[in-house]
Amino acid sequence: MANFDDDPAAERAVLLEAQRIARMGSWTVEAATGRAYLSAGLRGLCGLPADGTVEDLVALVHQEDLAVLGEFRDRLWAQRSPETLDLDVRDVTGERSYLVRARAEFDASGALVTVHGTVQDVTKIRALERQLSQDGRLFRETQRVARMGTWEWDTATGDCVWSSMLYDLAGIAPGTAITYSDYLRIVHPDDRGWVDQRWQELASARRPVECEHRVVRPDGKRRVFRVRGEAADPDRGVMIGTCQDVTEQRSTETRMQRSSKRFTDLVAITPVGIALFDDAERLVDANDALCSLLGMDLERLRGTTAEQLTHPDDRESRRGRDTPAFHSGQRVLSTAAGKPVYCELNATVSVTDDGRRFWLVVFADVTDRRRTAERLRHQATHDELTGLPGRAAVKELLATLLGGRDYQRIALLFCDVDNFKRVNDSLGHDVGDELITALARRLERGLPPSCTVARMSGDEYVVICSDVDEAGGVEVLANQVASLLRTAVPVRGQLLRVSASIGAAVPTGPETSGADLLRYADAAMFAAKARGTGRVSMALGRADRLGQQPDAAGGPTARGHRQRPTGPALPAGRRPGRHGPVRRGPGPLAAPGARPAHAR
């Protein structure tokens, strides 16, 4: 080691190098004269020239730190002991930090003689301290939020060191001396044996250990701890680890498991079909009710898509629609035998624990309800005796057909059985009912598919033709209907010869309503009946001139109790759109074999 007693210059050089390495400089102020000395190391540290003064040094201090620097100076000059004072200040930029240290020297009488001090650049040290402080704060906050504490266990002595958070979790006063035996005493008696065995394995084998066990705190509260441990210093037998309170988490999981079990049981026993579909719309699971509804076991249903479960007829009707596979509404499913099952769907989308989306779909079988509704609708719109559509169905069908683009191809025939009252009066209403039913069947079997036969009331039928061109024209159709109703019907061993008066009408324009068309045909029927039985007449245009025609029969019609709607009756062969009188004798629209009115 070098001796600098005889070489002050070398000693000074070494001191300056040491100050440079430590980023430190020194200073001295004489109390009596106020003269200050700044070391070369201090001037180099602060960037002062060789003739720099204390005032120059103070000018380098941050504006906000000047007040505390003044207080530091006052305390230094006022104290009467050689105590060292410290102060941190920043430079004018606020980017660097300096530690100022000073100590006063006194003479024998206690008078202040000299003040010695140092200035050290502690920017990096303060930054590390701030980082460590922040890390410590975040660690403490993390432990608090996660309800997790840390521990250390010396297996040789049994002594333990706990963090403040672990004391709080265990319900023990912070700072209490803790040993391994103290820890085991708070472990639940039923868990104590196997927990001790696990930690002894850690102490002997040095392999990491993780376990969950129950704890009974001194205040009697029961908690669940998840504890992890591993060897920190195998040579000294020191173990470290964490302890987390997972009571609420386990309680929540237990509640969820119970809730899931209740949901599973509910799905299993509910009478409606329930199915789970994955994001690709494939069936993943289903309850017994859906399997029974479709007549398939679960293994056969798994992997099928919503489209594959849909009945072909419903699938075809949905083709081209931009609608999701699952949405509230009705869907027709197909059973294993191919039978349609009408279902009301309610669907919701959810997400599994791993983030995958799935669909929960409820299928309520409404087949019976639909059939009941259809039966009630049929009863409301159809004649109970014949099963033919009734007045309400006629109005509905006419409104639909007349509202379409092909309204000009529509024709309506109003038919009234001649002298039907005689049948009821002479043979009874039961015979009359059988006759009405037999005529209904003849009309249904004898007319083309474009024709719909309906019963208005009593002995009145209506034939609605949606495509008169397909039927061969109005004249052909009217004569065909007249021929079907001019027949001998066997009823209860008797042959009843019957005929009907028929009025035909077609729309005059797009403004023609169903009520208009019925009124036109009814007026034409009265015109036909006025000429005798088995006659046919056609009406076009508004029915406001028919009442002006003289009665061809010279007397009241068979339905004379009705008020005849007024309007023109056009003979057969006249083109639609032109008004004309009712034909008064046989012609293209007259029933074959009919006699002129004047010949009867």
Side-chain angles (χ1 to χ4, degrees), residues 215-243:
V215 167
V216 181
R217 300 186 354 158
D219 58 7
K221 294 181 178 179
R222 299 191 176 194
R223 312 295 293 176
V224 179
F225 283 1
R226 177 191 292 165
V227 189
R228 295 182 175 91
E230 61 181 40
D233 189 348
D235 296 333
R236 293 194 303 115
V238 176
M239 310 296 153
I240 61 172
T242 61
C243 179

Side-chain angles (χ1 to χ4, degrees), residues 158-169:
D159 294 333
C160 296
V161 178
W162 284 8
S163 68
S164 57
M165 190 63 203
L166 184 52
Y167 278 110
D168 183 60
L169 295 178

